[in-house]
Amino acid sequence: MSQDNVTAMDIARSLPGILKRFPAIAKGYYYYSVKDANKPLTLGTLVKNNAEKHRDRPAILFEDFSITWGDFNSWSNRIAGYFQAQGLKKGDSIAIFLENRPEVLAVVAGAAKIGVACAMLNTSQKGKVLEHSANLVNPKMVVVGEELAAAFDDVKGNLQLDHPTPFLFLADTNTLNTFGDAPSDYANMAQQVSTFSSNNPVLSDPPRAGDTAIYLFTSGTTGLPKAAPGSHTKFLKAYGGFGLMSLSMKPDDVFYCTLPLYHGTGLVVCWGSVLAGGSAFALRRKFSASAFWDDVRRYDATVFGYIGELCRYLLNQPASDQDRNHRLTRMLGNGLRPSIWTEFKERFGIDKVAELYASSEGNVGFSNFLNLDNTVGLSTAPYKLVRFHDGTRDPVRDDKGVMQEVAKGEPGLLISEITTKWFFEGYTQKEATEKSILRDAFKKGDSWFNTGDVLRNLGFRHLQFVDRMGDTFRWKGENVSTNEVENIIDGSGMVEEAIVYGVEIPKTNGKAGMVTLVPNSDSFDINKLLAYLQKNLPAYAVPVFVRVTNAIEKTGTFKYRKVDIQKAGYALERPHEEVFAWLPKTESYTQLTPELVSDIDSGEFRF
């Protein structure tokens, strides 16, 4: 298939595969299209069903141990009973602050069984950002892993928790079998959970499909993270749409996942697909390019979850005669660039790229259901691609206030109509929800979700991802809010003004963070600022480049000329300004020279 369009011939070539997968597609469509929010079909139901069908098959593979579906269900039941004994009930929420390990899934499943929602705290967050996120959903309790206790201890005194014993500790060990010791101000959750019944809970008012199962945190244009509620329906859609319709998952499949489980792609998309097949979920705490294929062979993985940056890192590894020595032929995720799509498939022997487009809070999703190259696939949701103002998330309206669709092949802002079927769950903050809704777009009274993303139509309703717009950019697989970083910089007390944006670095994915700033004194120490940023921001959000100037240009209405500044990137042509870079494997900012800029542009540094 051409990078630029989808043809009737491409569609025809995919038909034999569709016919072969028809039973899985038919079953998947049932789950994908569940409309009844009151249906007692939930994440907990899916776990229980797998325990009944595949009791002795592996559900989770992690490091050197395996957990069967029967044992996993029993574990989640004990957790459900423990939460009930703690007074938690349907509609309550807890927060989870754990790295990728089986306990994340067990706690989410256990809470889901009694209608308690889990707020998935970003494990990279610290300081003020972590404190803000944890307080957004007013959780009753927080489950903290030993591996993250130091970061959590820095903020827990400022959290607003309504429970007599709110802090639950899980030792950094296999807590299904060993408990470890908990600090004095935490409850030892594993030890206490072990005393509860492993039977499925019986409830007079069980959770329903439309109830909130999780909260995922997203960086938006308002600065600090927003909490987006996700219902059990999201798991059902992933179960049917990705697990069955796209991947035809089966019990002997092994899905290898290095993506963080606080992200929707890892938790909902990848795990939802595993649930659909009664398959095994092989987890790794953090992605490692050098260990990736050894893990794939170790777990005998057949599928893996990706983001585009991950694939780039794998391609950058030295070629090996072991590159195809594995059983992995399918991949599910988002952000695979057209420039490396074919190369990746051919080098590693991948047959199916189930590329998708979705967002934690959105009401629209796309899936490469037909296995065509260079596309996020198609969607059954009502959507349009419309013209937008450059450098913003704002659609263009004509003199009558009506939005204008773009032509085929032209990049356009993706908006999705909000209907009874395609409802918008929004955020916990009402003002943030309203900012994402476009009203009276094409006729009076209609409403549309503004994704803030730019895509293009390749034909036959297949789209290709182009870019993210507005005040968010993507780096290291994470969405970075420019306002969030600006607010942290402002709090340093070291600058008068700062404007943050993303810039492209050749031979990398996403956009690296850059800040143009005006120091507030002649004794400005850029590495003192770096230390402050590292303390208060995740590593991926710390600006890679810093431009130091004595003034930032503004418009007549006192708005920054952000587009002009962004176009300058890290170039050195602007007089009386200095540009610094946080180069890979260094501990401080380095002032750029023409030679270093040339080395960065030629790919000498692997950011």
Side-chain angles (χ1 to χ4, degrees):
M1 187 194 86
S2 163
Q3 175 178 327
D4 297 319
N5 59 79
V6 172
T7 68
M9 185 65 70
D10 297 320
I11 302 296
R13 279 196 292 263
S14 71
L15 292 178
I18 293 176
L19 293 174
K20 184 178 180 180
R21 294 186 290 114
F22 184 76
I25 291 171
K27 181 181 178 183
Y29 187 74
Y30 167 78
Y31 286 94
Y32 176 78
S33 58
V34 167
K35 299 177 184 178
D36 185 0
N38 289 314
K39 196 176 183 69
L41 181 58
T42 65
L43 173 60
T45 311
L46 301 179
V47 171
K48 177 177 72 71
N49 291 347
N50 277 344
E52 293 171 352
K53 296 176 184 176
H54 313 292
R55 175 165 296 277
D56 298 321
R57 296 197 63 89
I60 303 175
L61 305 173
F62 180 70
E63 295 178 351
D64 59 353
F65 63 93
S66 171
I67 302 170
T68 66
W69 277 108
D71 287 342
F72 179 75
N73 186 57
S74 296
W75 189 13
S76 64
N77 289 338
R78 290 193 293 274
I79 290 173
Y82 169 72
F83 284 144
Q84 281 184 309
Q86 295 299 310
L88 300 189
K89 60 187 184 302
K90 181 177 175 179
D92 287 338
S93 66
I94 62 170
I96 297 179
F97 197 45
L98 293 165
E99 289 184 349
N100 274 22
R101 51 188 181 116
E103 286 81 357
V104 176
L105 304 176
V107 173
V108 171
K113 289 197 171 197
I114 60 169
V116 171
C118 291
M120 312 303 297
L121 295 175
N122 184 325
T123 60
S124 298
Q125 290 180 351
K126 59 186 79 171
K128 297 175 183 176
V129 180
L130 176 61
E131 177 187 326
H132 167 85
S133 295
N135 282 329
L136 271 179
V137 298
N138 298 314
K140 297 286 187 180
M141 310 176 88
V142 184
V143 181
V144 180
E146 181 180 2
E147 68 276 15
L148 296 169
F152 185 75
D153 284 344
D154 286 344
V155 304
K156 71 177 184 180
N158 298 321
L159 301 187
Q160 303 158 14
L161 306 175
D162 180 21
H163 196 277
T165 55
F167 305 123
L168 308 178
F169 184 85
L170 287 174
D172 194 1
T173 183
N174 174 10
T175 60
L176 179 58
N177 301 316
T178 55
F179 307 142
D181 297 318
S184 58
D185 49 349
Y186 287 87
N188 189 328
M189 181 176 173
Q191 186 177 46
Q192 295 188 15
V193 162
S194 67
T195 64
F196 286 83
S197 170
S198 60
N199 294 328
N200 293 309
V202 178
L203 305 170
S204 58
D205 182 22
R208 311 284 174 172
D211 293 341
T212 299
I214 54 173
Y215 291 94
L216 299 174
F217 294 89
T218 177
S219 291
T221 57
T222 56
L224 289 167
K226 300 189 289 289
S231 66
H232 295 272
T233 303
K234 284 192 181 291
F235 283 94
L236 298 178
K237 286 186 178 298
Y239 182 104
F242 301 126
L244 294 175
M245 297 174 70
S246 289
L247 295 174
S248 301
M249 294 290 286
K250 295 181 173 57
D252 62 349
D253 276 316
V254 177
F255 195 121
Y256 179 54
C257 180
T258 66
L259 304 178
L261 295 177
Y262 59 74
H263 266 187
T265 304
L267 182 65
V268 180
V269 173
C270 295
W271 192 35
S273 299
V274 169
L275 289 163
S279 313
F281 203 29
L283 289 176
R284 184 181 177 92
R285 293 214 185 203
K286 295 180 180 178
F287 169 71
S288 167
S290 60
F292 184 90
W293 294 109
D294 287 339
D295 271 0
V296 165
R297 286 183 281 271
R298 172 188 182 186
Y299 295 121
D300 197 23
T302 56
V303 190
F304 82 98
Y306 72 89
I307 54 174
E309 291 89 336
L310 182 154
C311 298
R312 174 80 69 180
Y313 298 148
L314 292 176
L315 272 180
N316 284 341
Q317 292 294 109
S320 164
D321 58 6
Q322 295 297 300
D323 281 346
R324 285 187 170 222
N325 179 24
H326 54 78
R327 199 164 64 100
L328 194 153
T329 58
R330 290 165 286 165
M331 52 195 279
L332 173 68
N334 62 280
L336 184 62
R337 296 279 183 174
S339 59
I340 65 170
W341 191 297
T342 301
E343 180 185 1
F344 192 90
K345 287 178 67 177
E346 291 179 350
R347 175 172 166 182
F348 298 114
I350 305 297
D351 294 329
K352 184 176 185 63
V353 178
E355 174 87 358
L356 62 95
Y357 169 87
S359 62
S360 302
E361 71 278 22
N363 68 333
V364 60
F366 290 77
S367 177
N368 189 16
F369 173 67
L370 302 182
N371 193 27
L372 304 180
D373 289 342
N374 305 318
T375 172
V376 300
L378 45 81
S379 175
T380 56
Y383 68 87
K384 292 184 185 293
L385 298 178
V386 299
R387 292 180 58 201
F388 60 95
H389 295 284
D390 287 341
T392 76
R393 295 165 51 96
D394 301 328
V396 172
R397 294 180 185 255
D398 62 19
D399 54 6
K400 295 182 179 179
V402 177
M403 295 181 192
Q404 303 163 53
E405 291 189 69
V406 298
K408 176 185 172 183
E410 181 183 347
L413 176 69
L414 175 65
I415 63 174
S416 176
E417 190 171 13
I418 299 170
T419 67
T420 303
K421 179 179 178 181
W422 300 100
F423 56 92
F424 174 46
E425 295 186 27
Y427 307 97
T428 55
Q429 300 153 293
K430 290 183 179 179
E431 65 275 13
T433 299
E434 187 59 33
K435 281 186 176 181
S436 294
I437 298 176
L438 301 169
R439 301 190 183 279
D440 303 327
F442 300 97
K443 61 184 179 181
K444 190 170 181 60
D446 66 1
S447 58
W448 298 71
F449 168 62
N450 183 355
T451 68
D453 292 330
V454 177
L455 292 90
R456 68 165 58 92
N457 181 6
L458 301 181
F460 291 90
R461 290 184 63 82
H462 279 69
L463 302 191
Q464 182 181 73
F465 183 82
V466 177
D467 202 0
R468 285 178 168 80
M469 299 305 297
D471 294 322
T472 303
F473 61 90
R474 194 166 177 82
W475 182 242
K476 302 294 184 182
E478 303 279 357
N479 289 335
V480 181
S481 163
T482 60
N483 285 338
E484 174 187 330
V485 180
E486 287 166 0
N487 288 337
I488 295 296
I489 293 174
D490 288 343
S492 71
M494 302 180 203
V495 303
E496 287 184 3
E497 294 180 279
I499 182 168
V500 176
Y501 44 94
V503 297
E504 293 184 354
I505 304 175
K507 300 184 180 180
T508 64
N509 276 6
K511 292 183 178 180
M514 183 166 185
V515 57
T516 291
L517 60 83
V518 178
N520 66 0
S521 73
D522 294 335
S523 60
F524 173 68
D525 184 344
I526 192 169
N527 287 313
K528 185 178 178 182
L529 176 63
L530 176 61
Y532 174 85
L533 296 176
Q534 289 174 320
K535 184 177 180 181
N536 286 282
L537 287 171
Y540 62 78
V542 175
V544 175
F545 299 101
V546 178
R547 182 181 294 276
V548 179
T549 185
N550 58 12
I552 302 178
E553 187 178 9
K554 304 177 185 67
T555 68
T557 55
F558 302 100
K559 293 180 180 178
Y560 288 115
R561 295 188 182 277
K562 196 165 187 176
V563 174
D564 294 339
I565 297 172
Q566 189 169 3
K567 285 179 180 177
Y570 49 86
L572 304 180
E573 285 80 12
R574 294 162 68 102
H576 313 300
E577 295 182 349
E578 296 176 331
V579 182
F580 299 82
W582 185 18
L583 298 173
K585 299 181 180 178
T586 65
E587 297 179 359
S588 61
Y589 281 120
T590 301
Q591 185 170 352
L592 290 184
T593 62
E595 293 77 15
L596 279 173
V597 170
S598 177
D599 288 343
I600 292 171
D601 287 343
S602 63
E604 290 293 319
F605 295 97
R606 289 189 175 180
F607 286 90

